[in-house]
Amino acid sequence: MRQAFVHEAVVGMAPDGDAGAPGAAITVALCGHWEHEPPCPLAPHHTTAERVGGEVRLRVLFAAEPAAEAEVRGRIEAGLARACLDGPDGVTTRWHLRVAGPGVVREDEAGHAERLLRA
């Protein structure tokens, strides 16, 4: 039975970089492309990105079987380790992964987590 998990990361990025690019890289790592038909093949997920100065703070809320948790986290970090993404507009966004690791599902994310579990 799937459970909800969170993975957090901080990437360094130039101020003019696309703050959504690391999230798109995560989706590519988990689903093969940032645009795909649902459901996500391995783990339904949602990524939020918050720019703070030269950093982008990411939270990935995902639903997975407990046995797949490590694989999902590994793919998230592998996607972020790519450190660049060529966007659909032809612009390449670059970043560097500073830190990443497990987080905790917050109370305000519980409803979203439930939706992911049913996806």
Side-chain angles (χ1 to χ4, degrees):
M1 178 180 217
R2 285 195 285 195
Q3 294 180 3
F5 300 96
V6 169
H7 203 76
E8 299 176 318
V10 176
V11 299
M13 180 185 294
D16 62 342
D18 178 0
I26 290 168
T27 300
V28 169
L30 292 175
C31 304
H33 197 277
W34 62 75
E35 291 181 347
H36 65 86
E37 292 295 319
C40 297
L42 177 61
H45 64 283
H46 176 76
T47 303
T48 57
E50 176 187 13
R51 184 182 291 280
V52 179
E55 294 182 338
V56 176
R57 297 177 184 170
L58 303 154
R59 277 185 69 80
V60 183
L61 178 63
F62 67 93
E65 296 291 334
E69 177 188 3
E71 178 183 357
V72 173
R73 292 185 189 283
R75 287 188 185 200
I76 290 168
E77 291 192 22
L80 293 172
R82 288 187 56 217
C84 72
L85 184 76
D86 296 326
D89 55 2
V91 175
T92 299
T93 300
R94 300 185 187 288
W95 63 85
H96 61 277
L97 180 59
R98 291 191 173 159
V99 64
V104 176
V105 177
R106 299 184 312 232
E107 188 174 314
D108 65 327
E109 296 171 316
H112 196 166
E114 284 298 320
R115 288 188 298 280
L116 291 174
L117 289 169
R118 292 190 304 268

